[in-house]
Amino acid sequence: MAEKISMGSNGKLKVPNNPTIPFIEGDGIGPDIWSASVRVFDAAIDKAYHGKKKIKWLKVLAGEEAFNKIKSWMPDETMKAFKEYLIAIKGPLTTPVGGGIRSLNVMLRQDLDLYVCLRPIKYFEGVPSPMWQPEKVNMVIFRENTEDIYAGIEYMTGTPDARKLLDFLQDELNVKKIRFPETTSFGIKVVSKEGSERLIRAAIKYAIANKLPSVTLVHKGNIMKFTEGAFKNWGYELAEREFKNKVYTWPQWEATKKERGEAVANEDMRIAGIGGKVIIKDAIADNFLQQALLAPQDYSIIATLNLNGDYISDALAAQVGGIGIAPGANINYITGNAVFEATHGTAPRFANTDSMNPSSLLLSGVMMLEYMGWRDAAEMITNAIGKTIRNKTVTIDFYNLMKEGTLLKTSEFGDAVIKNL
């Protein structure tokens, strides 16, 4: 009998042995990668738990399939199912161009208040990479998912609203630095203390729970002092207020250097932590992107705002083989709602060709199983994907960059992963 996942009064998920989990196949290559992935999920769960646990998959509609069938890009029934069952998984979705229809992915994140975009970036041995030592990249990105550019407060030049905002800035706030006012469009950057704190709190809790050495607050606070700079300051204040016995912040380290009289290099503190405590530090966004190439081993958990997180997620994914193998999740750790998703696009040219790499969706499923506490099945899938790639049995994206590889279809890659469980 299928049951629902729920959030317990202790703030922890209650996951039955036979939970119902909604899924969206997705558009373009979505049905191909879902078909391969769901077989892997079921096989791993069956092997790990000997039939005692099983997911009941509930298909729901969104994107092109939903529009073609019921003339709605995101039906109310789909959003209701995501709220009711807490956890869901999805393939890539098309967002129609024009007509004022917002991104379906952003709609899900906003309407379900999925304030953490979680993106783990890890290298699998054998994956073609432009990096000299890609195995040094092992980070988890916590990207704020509801504010900053996702607030969507924009006004196009020439519109009455843009003129009204321009007049207010110039007449009421005495702003003098708008260089070309008659042709200027406006976007408002929204960063709140509450939004920043819940994102950073989740990142620190994750680091503590997984015994990881550091959380780096990545920001552009040297220029945007009251938004990005405030994000950094609120993060340090939160760490010292709520986690003072479990973390050590960079300002604390700097302030007590003289009185300790220790001959410990700053680099040791940045990398390894102090006395088993998680180190809370920060980095300017542009410098971080440089350091992520030069010394990625110095970073573990990244907590950052929306736009920075967008750049960082794809840049780091490229270092370990591209977004074809990059998983993702959107989570509200308070309500328990979470949507796990392939991070790449729909690639409509390759729809129904059974040729694309399902690894992004597979690894997003791994994240889902970990979130549910089904770690044995999750670890099985991760190890099996690693073995499949090491054997050079891969889909076209990796095959084209390998020597002496074996080309597999999407479905055949799924078969190979199941064989290697």
Side-chain angles (χ1 to χ4, degrees):
M1 178 179 154
E3 302 168 78
K4 294 178 184 177
I5 296 169
S6 60
M7 176 58 80
S9 57
N10 61 353
K12 294 184 178 180
L13 285 178
K14 295 169 65 177
V15 182
N17 286 336
N18 297 282
T20 296
I21 294 183
F23 72 93
I24 298 171
E25 283 188 346
D27 299 324
I29 62 172
D32 283 351
I33 62 173
W34 172 255
S35 178
S37 298
V38 70
R39 291 189 295 109
V40 174
F41 302 150
D42 288 341
I45 292 166
D46 186 60
K47 187 163 187 176
Y49 306 112
H50 310 288
K52 294 179 181 178
K53 294 184 178 183
K54 184 179 176 65
I55 291 174
K56 179 183 178 183
W57 300 104
L58 174 66
K59 182 174 179 179
V60 293
L61 298 178
E64 287 181 346
E65 183 180 11
F67 186 78
N68 291 338
K69 288 183 176 179
I70 59 175
K71 302 303 178 188
S72 171
W73 293 98
M74 180 63 70
D76 292 341
E77 291 79 7
T78 297
M79 197 67 76
K80 182 180 177 182
F82 278 25
K83 292 176 180 177
E84 183 178 353
Y85 294 102
L86 288 192
I87 292 177
I89 188 167
K90 58 178 280 296
L93 289 176
T94 297
T95 292
V97 177
I101 299 174
R102 61 178 170 152
S103 162
L104 301 178
N105 293 321
V106 173
M107 184 187 300
L108 279 170
R109 296 165 191 173
Q110 293 271 340
D111 291 2
L112 296 174
D113 196 24
L114 304 176
Y115 61 87
V116 171
C117 179
L118 190 66
R119 292 282 295 271
I121 309 291
K122 182 181 179 181
Y123 180 68
F124 282 82
E125 182 184 347
V127 172
S129 166
M131 296 288 290
W132 174 45
Q133 293 178 304
E135 68 278 1
K136 290 186 175 182
V137 180
N138 189 1
M139 302 183 213
V140 180
I141 302 161
F142 279 72
R143 171 193 176 196
E144 205 290 319
N145 218 14
T146 61
E147 298 188 326
D148 196 9
I149 62 168
Y150 270 10
I153 305 173
E154 289 190 294
Y155 303 100
M156 183 65 185
T157 182
T159 63
D161 286 341
R163 168 52 66 181
K164 190 181 296 184
L165 182 55
L166 174 65
D167 291 344
F168 175 76
L169 291 171
Q170 292 181 327
D171 298 341
E172 299 294 327
L173 298 183
N174 201 31
V175 173
K176 304 295 186 185
K177 296 181 179 179
I178 302 174
R179 186 159 297 186
F180 304 107
E182 298 308 315
T183 59
T184 294
S185 291
F186 296 92
I188 296 179
K189 185 179 183 70
V190 176
V191 178
S192 71
K193 184 177 183 182
E194 290 86 350
S196 299
E197 285 187 341
R198 65 181 185 172
L199 182 279
I200 296 165
R201 183 182 294 114
I204 295 174
K205 284 184 175 181
Y206 187 98
I208 293 170
N210 291 279
K211 296 181 170 57
L212 297 171
S214 67
V215 174
T216 304
L217 309 173
V218 177
H219 61 92
K220 193 63 179 168
N222 57 327
I223 303 299
M224 292 175 278
K225 300 182 186 301
F226 303 135
T227 50
E228 304 251 346
F231 174 84
K232 178 200 77 170
N233 294 336
W234 292 329
Y236 278 132
E237 291 166 5
L238 172 84
E240 293 178 6
R241 184 177 70 246
E242 296 187 11
F243 300 95
K244 59 183 175 182
N245 296 323
K246 296 180 180 179
V247 305
Y248 210 111
T249 68
W250 185 248
Q252 286 173 331
W253 177 259
E254 288 288 294
T256 60
K257 236 184 339 189
K258 287 183 181 178
E259 63 191 59
R260 284 194 321 271
E262 296 171 353
V264 179
N266 288 348
E267 285 304 313
D268 293 336
M269 186 269 195
R270 286 193 177 109
I271 298 167
I274 297 293
K277 294 184 177 181
V278 175
I279 301 308
I280 312 298
K281 53 186 178 176
D282 72 277
I284 303 294
D286 46 328
N287 179 254
F288 170 77
L289 286 168
Q290 176 183 226
Q291 293 304 315
L293 291 169
L294 298 175
Q297 70 278 4
D298 290 3
Y299 301 93
S300 180
I301 303 290
I302 307 303
T304 191
L305 290 166
N306 189 276
L307 184 58
N308 294 333
D310 202 5
Y311 298 148
I312 290 167
S313 296
D314 281 10
L316 289 180
Q319 294 179 218
V320 298
I323 58 174
I325 198 167
N330 303 280
I331 302 174
N332 183 317
Y333 285 97
I334 300 168
T335 64
N337 280 109
V339 177
F340 298 82
E341 63 181 355
T343 60
H344 52 71
T346 59
R349 274 198 311 140
F350 301 101
N352 304 312
T353 62
D354 193 25
S355 62
M356 295 290 100
N357 190 345
S359 294
S360 178
L361 188 59
L362 280 170
L363 290 169
S364 297
V366 166
M367 293 176 68
M368 182 185 75
L369 293 171
E370 290 174 341
Y371 185 65
M372 293 164 57
W374 293 13
R375 292 185 174 272
D376 291 338
E379 187 176 352
M380 274 187 179
I381 297 172
T382 301
N383 292 339
I385 292 172
K387 184 176 180 180
T388 305
I389 293 171
R390 286 195 303 274
N391 290 342
K392 294 189 175 184
T393 47
V394 293
T395 47
I396 188 70
D397 53 335
F398 290 165
Y399 174 80
N400 284 339
L401 301 172
M402 279 183 177
K403 292 181 180 179
E404 301 176 353
T406 300
L407 177 61
L408 299 181
K409 294 181 178 294
T410 309
S411 55
E412 292 170 339
F413 186 85
D415 294 337
V417 173
I418 292 171
K419 182 179 177 182
N420 290 326
L421 285 171

